[in-house]
């Protein structure tokens, strides 16, 4: 579950950000019509003021329901920072008629649900099978006015929120951003953290939160969005029967913006339009944070106008020119030069004037002042000379295509409508915006750069890490034996839960999923094709059996260095040419190594399928691994390693995995500074020639194409990829469970929250017990809000922001693990609670009601996965690579339903071993260090 402050989600929803990765989001060369985004949308306003947007999309038997409230951190006054976010958490704690954790109700419906708080809005969304639409509407209408906000709930959820906020404190990027925002907007709510501050959260009273809820959670301040497979008229009758009963505020006037006075002060003191007249001599000195950390960071902020300002399209094209992919100006100036290991940017355009931000992570040994200098030179160049026709076209293509690729599923389509209606004030905003993007000229981009990228208006911050030796310390191992004094609460009976659950209206036939065509080329390359003509997109997933399991400890990192260097040059194209080939069309192609293979992900519009396939074939057959690019990628890998070792999640997982698997096991190896520095270009070439083979490669394609033509294209591009000899075979030794409970603690200076991993070696995907293990895991920790672990450790005790369990089952057995984030002082209690729950599970088993609810939850949510073409390509690929039947994508729900209670009992005895756990905690130690 991801509940609460999530700025990156905001930037994903706001199409006006140019936050493109190296493989830029795909796109079309011609202007994209906005009709597909708003065509068929019906707007209805109920008598109580609720705005309802409905859009029928009959491509899959699922529906998405979203409620967007026009309230966020900008509405908070002094002393209330974070109250919007705190309220969002409390909205899951139940209502007067349903005094039960709503996460359990959503999970029982099979809903894939979430919520977030941002600057201007708070949104709640769930996507379900179509027969559960009425139930979802009933639940959302109930909590719009009847949420339980009482002392008990507030006390426990305050602890959860503080755990979440302290988790952010682990991130140097978050700490730097907080200081930069505070300095950039000293008199505005936008300058405060969306999630709030610990000091304010601790002081919230029930009356405070309840008043805030009653003021802002009202139908006239909300937009209900419904997209998917439904009929509009009958659904509007249900909306009237559920939401229509919710009374508006007593005073029918509009909700006042508490931040309006501060905004007025800001506007009179900040002359955005005249920004270009200032001189660099007025530039503010950098904010410098010297704290424990790993990599040096830079963030620069520039004030922008609000979302509806006419300059917004030009600003967003400007951003795409600067940060849109590998061919962008800042990537070329900072990353390709070796100054930075990464750079990104984004325009945050909101109800009130927002900001443009640029972020860079310094490469090892590089000075932030030098990065700032080159950054300014790049911005000045953009101000002095109009962009080229080629750059302008590429930027527009990326922006336009990101909409089509980002809206292949109904949840994303609902997000787009909800965001535009709430923040822009009109769901039709997307039409005007895309039309304006198509008309942006080079002069407008240059003017935007002059107006808004003004050094005198810049706020810049540096994070300079202070870590004595760059290595985390270690504290003594604990016994972990505080378990005996703890007694977990009785598991919540789903039968009791059922009385609060609205009924489903009918059943959905899940046997209609189309099956992929499968064939193998003469050289052994395996292909799976599934034509889906509903959206003009292509989703490519692939795997090559050349993962990190082939690394060995001495050359750990070799597989990933090989994978990420594929796009650095072929026999006929250099890195920049390869990047432009894709980015000019808005297509993307990425490679990364995981344990059991190299993952290939590609996407683009259907017209770009030939370019995607041709580029993929070129790099797989003809990669040249230029020495200079290898050195740059090595430096980036070394920076990433330092960041991982400074992150409790990354370090904790590494130590946990190495404690489970012995040194001779392929799952034991992780990159070190020594191993990365020892890897040569010859190592990459040898690894590439040995492990990159057609007979160890599988490709899955889902999208708008003719299978006959695609088969011919694949034969043409891959048919001459020759193979000699047999592929390398890896012998994976069996792994025994630890003889006793083992606990390890890793101390990382400067952190606020601890992350704990608990578990041992588990099972493979083809293990006959897998489906039973999946059902068991759903009960134990498959959902942070609905599972036993979530109910006890998070909900009842408030010890953690998030806790979950999983069986990482691949071709080979991976770990069974439980992960949680806690305050340092709460770690031992949370560990003890978790072990007690495992013992309770082993001694008492599960109830029939729990068992049936878990099976329904898994099978009901599965159609939601299948409603996204990108997910479908991944599922088809995974099933093939794991050696499962082509029909598994259709038969999976039946496999889950076939699990018996006897199998669950056996799996508990086989796989739940509380006496043999490995427990690893990484974080600040026993106390939060000063200055964090």
């Amino acid at each position: 579950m991801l509940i609460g402050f999530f700025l990156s989600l905001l930037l994903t929803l706001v199409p006006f950000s140019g936050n493109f990765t190296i493989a830029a989001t795909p796109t079309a060369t011609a202007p994209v019509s906005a009709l597909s985004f708003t065509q068929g949308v019906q707007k209805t306003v109920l008598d109580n003021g609720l705005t309802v947007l409905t859009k029928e999309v009959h491509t899959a038997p699922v529906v998405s329901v979203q409620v967007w409230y026009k309230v966020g951190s900008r509405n908070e006054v002094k002393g209330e920072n974070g109250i919007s976010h705190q309220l969002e958490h409390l909205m899951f704690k139940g209502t007067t008629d349903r005094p039960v954790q709503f996460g359990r109700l959503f999970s029982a419906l099979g809903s894939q649900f979430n919520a977030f708080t941002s600057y201007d809005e708070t949104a709640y969304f769930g996507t379900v099978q179509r027969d559960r639409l009425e139930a979802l509407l009933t639940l959302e209408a109930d909590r719009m006015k009847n949420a339980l906000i009482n002392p008990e709930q507030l006390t426990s959820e305050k602890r959860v929120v503080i755990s979440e906020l302290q988790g952010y404190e682990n991130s140097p990027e978050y700490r730097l951003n907080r200081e930069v925002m505070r300095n950039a907007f000293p008199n505005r709510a936008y300058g405060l953290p969306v999630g709030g501050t610990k000091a304010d959260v601790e002081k919230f009273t029930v009356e405070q939160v309840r008043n805030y809820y009653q003021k802002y959670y009202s139908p006239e301040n909300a937009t209900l969005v419904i997209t998917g497979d439904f009929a509009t008229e009958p659904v509007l009758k249900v909306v009237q029967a559920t939401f229509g009963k919710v009374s508006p505020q007593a005073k029918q006037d509009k909700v006042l913006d508490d931040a309006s006075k501060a905004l007025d002060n800001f506007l009179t003191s900040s002359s955005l339009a005249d920004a270009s007249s200032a001189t660099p001599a007025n530039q503010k000195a950098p904010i410098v944070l010297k704290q424990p950390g790993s990599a040096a960071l830079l963030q620069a902020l520039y004030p922008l106008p609000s979302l509806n300002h006419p300059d917004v399209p030009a600003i967003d094209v400007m951003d795409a020119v600067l940060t849109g992919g590998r061919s962008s100006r800042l990537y070329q100036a900072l990353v390709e030069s070796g100054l930075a290991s990464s750079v990104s940017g984004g325009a945050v355009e909101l109800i009130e004037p927002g900001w443009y931000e640029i972020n860079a992570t310094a490469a090892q040994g590089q000075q932030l002042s030098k990065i700032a200098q080159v950054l300014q030179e790049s911005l000045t160049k953009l101000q002095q000379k109009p962009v080229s026709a080629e750059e302008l076209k590429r930027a527009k293509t990326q922006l336009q295509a990101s909409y089509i690729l980002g809206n292949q599923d109904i949840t994303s389509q609902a997000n787009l409508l909800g965001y535009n209606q709430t923040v822009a004030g009109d769901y039709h905003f997307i039409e005007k915006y895309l039309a304006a993007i198509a008309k942006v000229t080079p002069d407008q981009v240059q003017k935007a750069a002059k107006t808004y990228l003004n050094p005198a208006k810049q706020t810049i911050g540096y994070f300079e890490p202070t870590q004595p030796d760059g290595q985390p310390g270690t504290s003594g191992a604990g016994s972990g034996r505080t378990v005996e004094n703890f007694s977990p609460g009785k598991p919540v009976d789903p039968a009791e839960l059922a009385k609060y659950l609205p009924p489903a209206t009918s059943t959905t036939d899940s046997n209609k999923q189309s099956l992929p065509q499968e064939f193998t080329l003469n050289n052994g390359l395996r292909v799976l094709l599934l034509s889906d003509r509903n959206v003009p997109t292509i989703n490519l997933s692939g795997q090559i059996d050349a993962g990190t399991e082939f690394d060995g400890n001495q050359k750990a990192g070799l597989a990933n260095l090989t994978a990420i260097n594929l796009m650095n040059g072929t026999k006929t194209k250099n890195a920049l040419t390869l990047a432009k080939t894709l980015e000019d069309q808005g297509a993307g192609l990425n490679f990364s190594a995981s344990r059991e293979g190299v993952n290939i992900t590609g996407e683009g519009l259907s017209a770009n399928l030939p370019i995607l396939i041709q580029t993929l074939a070129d790099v797989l057959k003809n990669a040249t691994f230029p020495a200079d690019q290898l050195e740059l990628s090595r430096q980036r890998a070394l920076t990433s390693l330092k960041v991982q070792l400074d992150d409790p999640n990354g370090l904790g997982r590494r130590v946990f995995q190495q404690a489970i698997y012995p040194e001779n096991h392929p799952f034991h190896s992780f990159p070190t500074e020594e191993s990365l520095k020892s890897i040569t270009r010859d190592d990459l070439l040898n690894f590439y020639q040995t492990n990159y083979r057609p007979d160890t490669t599988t490709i899955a394609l889902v999208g708008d194409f003719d299978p006959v033509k695609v088969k011919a294209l694949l034969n043409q591009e891959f048919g001459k990829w020759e193979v000699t000899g047999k592929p390398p075979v890896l012998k994976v030794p069996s792994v025994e469970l630890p003889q006793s409970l083992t606990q390890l603690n890793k101390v990382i200076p400067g952190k606020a929250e601890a992350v704990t991993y608990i578990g041992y070696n588990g099972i493979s995907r083809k293990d006959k017990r897998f489906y039973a293990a999946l059902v068991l895991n759903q009960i134990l920790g498959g959902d942070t809000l609905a599972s036993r672990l979530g109910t006890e450790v998070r909900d009842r005790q408030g010890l953690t922001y998030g806790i979950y369990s999983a069986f990482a089952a691949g071709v080979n057995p991976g770990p069974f693990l439980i992960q949680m984030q806690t305050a340092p002082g709460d770690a031992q209690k949370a560990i003890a609670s978790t072990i007690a729950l495992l013992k309770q599970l082993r001694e008492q088993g599960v109830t029939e009601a729990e068992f049936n609810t878990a099976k329904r939850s898994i099978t009901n949510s599965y159609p939601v996965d299948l409603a996204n073409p990108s997910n479908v390509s991944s599922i088809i690929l995974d099933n093939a690579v794991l050696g499962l039947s082509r029909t598994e994508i259709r038969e999976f729900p039946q496999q889950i339903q076939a699990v018996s209670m006897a199998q669950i009992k056996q799996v508990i005895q086989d796989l739940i071993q509380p006496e043999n756990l490995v427990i690893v905690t990484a974080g600040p130690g026993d106390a939060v260090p000063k200055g964090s």
Side-chain angles (χ1 to χ4, degrees), residues 787-841:
S787 63
R788 283 196 183 185
L789 287 170
T791 299
E792 180 63 32
V793 184
R794 184 198 191 276
D795 230 31
R796 190 172 80 85
Q797 298 186 67
L799 294 175
T800 176
Y801 167 53
I803 183 168
Y804 73 90
S805 62
F807 285 91
V811 173
N812 297 299
F816 162 70
L817 59 88
I818 296 168
Q819 182 188 4
M820 66 180 112
Q821 171 189 300
T822 62
D826 289 339
Q828 278 305 121
K829 186 175 181 184
I831 290 167
S833 303
T834 299
I835 296 174
L837 281 165
L838 292 175
K839 288 190 171 183
Q840 181 189 68
L841 183 63

Side-chain angles (χ1 to χ4, degrees), residues 41-55 219 222-226 232-233 235-237 239-240 421 427:
V41 176
Q42 180 174 321
K43 180 180 177 181
T44 308
V45 180
L46 304 188
D47 291 342
N48 60 10
L50 178 70
T51 298
V52 184
L53 301 178
T54 53
K55 180 183 182 182
T223 297
L224 168 66
V225 186
I226 309 169
T232 302
E233 291 311 312
V235 164
L236 285 176
K237 289 178 182 176
V239 170
Q240 183 63 53
Q421 182 64 35
Y427 74 90

Side-chain angles (χ1 to χ4, degrees), residues 701-721:
L701 275 168
V702 174
D704 179 21
F705 56 76
D706 178 342
V708 175
K709 292 180 180 177
V710 171
K711 188 171 183 179
L713 176 65
L714 290 167
N715 267 304
Q716 177 185 320
E717 296 299 327
F718 287 101
K720 294 180 181 177
W721 187 11

Side-chain angles (χ1 to χ4, degrees), residues 501-538:
L501 199 62
T505 53
S506 64
T507 57
T508 299
D509 182 5
S510 59
N511 288 323
K512 293 182 179 178
Q513 172 61 42
S514 300
L515 299 179
Q517 297 180 33
E518 183 172 356
F519 60 90
T520 303
L521 303 188
N522 291 335
N523 56 13
L525 189 146
R526 191 157 50 142
V527 180
L528 298 111
L529 300 179
L530 183 59
S531 182
D532 178 355
R533 312 311 285 260
N534 290 308
V535 188
T537 60
I538 297 297

